[in-house]
Amino acid sequence: MTEQNHPLAPHHLPFYLAPGSGTDVLMVVMGIFLIGSVLWVGTLYWKLHSLPERMAHKSQKLQFEIVAVLGIISLFTHMHIFWVAGLLLAMIDLPDFGTPLRSIAGSVERIADAAPGEGREPELPILPPVEKPIVKGKEHSHV
């Protein structure tokens, strides 16, 4: 008996079943969909993972470097607390201490480089200490 004439063989197969001699179209479509989904989720993961670094990029160099290191640590250790710490640090604007301190240091350096006597107030003459006169009078008793 041939397969076509078999009494239990279906005469019409559903579309999702591959024919015996053909290509499984649904498997090819699902394979392409799976590869596309993995690439899309991977791209989404990398964008989310680099979010603190992109936020800190506009801030100071030191803050950006700390956030970048926290992101790398969280990537390799899979400890999400480092990523959260980097995100919080990126969201906070740290005050700029460097600029005023550099200005003060530059001013002090200019003062130190000035020649002695230039731009300084004239020194006052040093006077000898004044002695107190001894007052003679009645002594008070402490008793």
Side-chain angles (χ1 to χ4, degrees):
M1 228 193 247
T2 64
E3 196 173 299
Q4 293 176 349
N5 296 335
H6 195 278
L8 295 177
H11 297 290
H12 176 68
L13 295 174
F15 75 94
Y16 52 86
L17 292 178
S21 63
T23 304
D24 189 356
V25 177
L26 187 61
M27 185 181 82
V28 171
V29 169
M30 289 308 297
I32 292 170
F33 177 76
L34 179 66
I35 291 171
S37 296
V38 166
L39 290 174
W40 179 74
V41 168
T43 304
L44 181 68
Y45 173 76
W46 287 111
K47 282 193 176 286
L48 181 65
H49 182 76
S50 67
L51 178 67
E53 291 177 39
R54 287 186 282 133
M55 288 174 65
H57 188 67
K58 64 181 182 287
S59 66
Q60 302 172 16
K61 183 177 188 281
L62 179 64
Q63 184 178 3
F64 174 70
E65 288 176 355
I66 293 171
V67 169
V69 167
L70 286 171
I72 289 173
I73 290 172
S74 73
L75 179 66
F76 289 120
T77 62
H78 299 290
M79 295 179 74
H80 304 297
I81 191 68
F82 292 113
W83 185 84
V84 171
L87 183 64
L88 292 175
L89 184 61
M91 294 174 83
I92 296 171
D93 288 332
L94 295 178
D96 183 20
F97 293 115
T99 303
L101 290 177
R102 277 190 291 277
S103 173
I104 292 169
S107 299
V108 169
E109 188 174 310
R110 276 189 304 240
I111 292 170
D113 287 342
E118 285 183 22
R120 297 171 71 189
E121 292 183 18
E123 293 183 17
L124 297 174
I126 299 174
L127 301 174
V130 178
E131 294 181 21
K132 286 186 179 181
I134 300 174
V135 180
K136 295 190 178 191
K138 185 176 176 185
E139 292 184 17
H140 298 284
S141 170
H142 296 291
V143 180

